[in-house]
Amino acid sequence: MSAVILDRIGKRFTGTGAAETVFDGFSLRVEPGELVAVVGASGTGKTTLLHLVAGLEKPDTGTVSVNSADRLGMVFQQPRLLDWVPVRKNVELAVEAAGLPTGGVDEILDAVGLLEYAGKFPSVLSGGQRQRVAVARAFAVQPALMLLDEPFSALDEITGRRLRLLLQDLWLQRPLTGLLVTHNPAEAALLADRVVVLSGRPAVLSQEYTVDLPRPRSPEDPALFDVHRRIVADLV
């Protein structure tokens, strides 16, 4: 059975002006163990799609099916840390909320290179370090499904590159099912098993690519650049 099923969903938002239809009869499946990247121009509903899967939004029509027994991890565009508690406690609070023992927190902080900062407050960390805490927090709850909402878009290119490679390493160590929303075609090609392109309003799945390349992958791989080039052509 698919890990995530969006079946003919419809979603409209009503503000002070006319109602905006984001999805109308949209369908998508994510298979167990698969990392699917969703790319598209601003306003095509990428983040709304992720929020529907996370249960933060409800579809107006159609159904969203996620195994209720699967624990969910999520990395947002911003780290969303509690600045008044240390790094370790930020991660421990998420683990405790998931009903898990906190004994493995230092291990995941070590995996993201932040064990020496475990007792520091987030306010003294760089943007890249704060986002690494957010990644550690998401993995620490031992999720079966990981949702990533443009997790590196606020970072400079060098820091973003480092964190993409870190995420790839963590994924190899702890295989998951995942849904990644990104504006970055190169990021999608590097990380995903499958890339889907959204276009229009209401959004349609206009193109789909399978990235059948072994991991770990290098950002300099010409085969990845070829996927990147084709995605960009779809978006222009």
Side-chain angles (χ1 to χ4, degrees):
M1 180 180 175
S2 299
V4 177
I5 303 172
L6 294 97
D7 185 23
R8 295 170 292 178
I9 60 169
K11 183 64 181 177
R12 303 178 74 203
F13 290 103
T14 303
T16 55
E20 290 281 345
T21 301
V22 183
F23 295 111
D24 184 13
F26 180 86
S27 296
L28 177 69
R29 289 174 179 257
V30 180
E31 302 305 327
E34 184 181 35
L35 175 54
V36 174
V38 181
V39 299
S42 295
T44 51
K46 300 184 301 300
T47 294
T48 299
L49 186 153
L50 208 66
H51 287 179
L52 287 165
V53 175
L56 301 175
E57 297 279 357
K58 300 297 182 184
D60 298 321
T61 58
T63 58
V64 178
S65 301
V66 179
N67 189 339
S68 60
D70 287 349
R71 189 175 291 114
L72 180 69
M74 192 158 185
V75 183
F76 297 92
Q77 295 178 35
Q78 300 298 328
R80 300 191 180 189
L81 304 180
L82 303 177
D83 285 335
W84 56 91
V85 297
V87 165
R88 180 186 285 114
K89 191 62 178 177
N90 265 275
V91 181
E92 286 178 345
L93 287 170
V95 172
E96 290 167 355
L100 297 172
T102 59
V105 167
D106 280 1
E107 179 184 350
I108 191 65
L109 287 175
D110 190 37
V112 301
L114 287 177
L115 185 56
E116 65 182 296
Y117 294 93
K120 304 286 188 181
F121 288 88
S123 57
V124 305
L125 303 183
S126 69
Q129 288 171 325
R130 290 170 64 88
Q131 198 65 350
R132 274 191 272 165
V133 177
V135 170
R137 180 180 58 195
F139 274 92
V141 301
Q142 301 175 27
L145 175 64
M146 182 76 79
L147 304 179
L148 303 115
D149 185 8
E150 299 186 54
F152 311 129
S153 62
L155 304 175
D156 65 85
E157 182 54 35
I158 297 302
T159 303
R161 173 193 168 96
R162 289 172 180 158
L163 290 194
R164 289 178 200 111
L165 293 174
L166 170 64
L167 182 63
Q168 177 177 235
D169 288 343
L170 289 171
W171 213 277
L172 286 169
Q173 297 164 23
R174 302 166 173 83
L176 299 168
T177 302
L179 191 60
L180 164 69
V181 161
T182 178
H183 278 105
N184 189 325
E187 178 174 281
L190 175 69
L191 296 173
D193 298 294
R194 183 161 51 103
V195 181
V196 298
V197 181
L198 299 188
S199 62
R201 177 64 76 96
V204 297
L205 199 164
S206 60
Q207 192 56 268
E208 183 173 324
Y209 298 97
T210 298
V211 188
D212 191 16
L213 296 169
R215 292 184 174 92
R217 298 170 182 168
S218 166
E220 284 75 37
D221 187 338
L224 284 181
F225 183 75
D226 183 58
V227 177
H228 166 266
R229 178 183 56 79
R230 286 184 284 160
I231 296 170
V232 169
D234 290 329
L235 295 173
V236 173

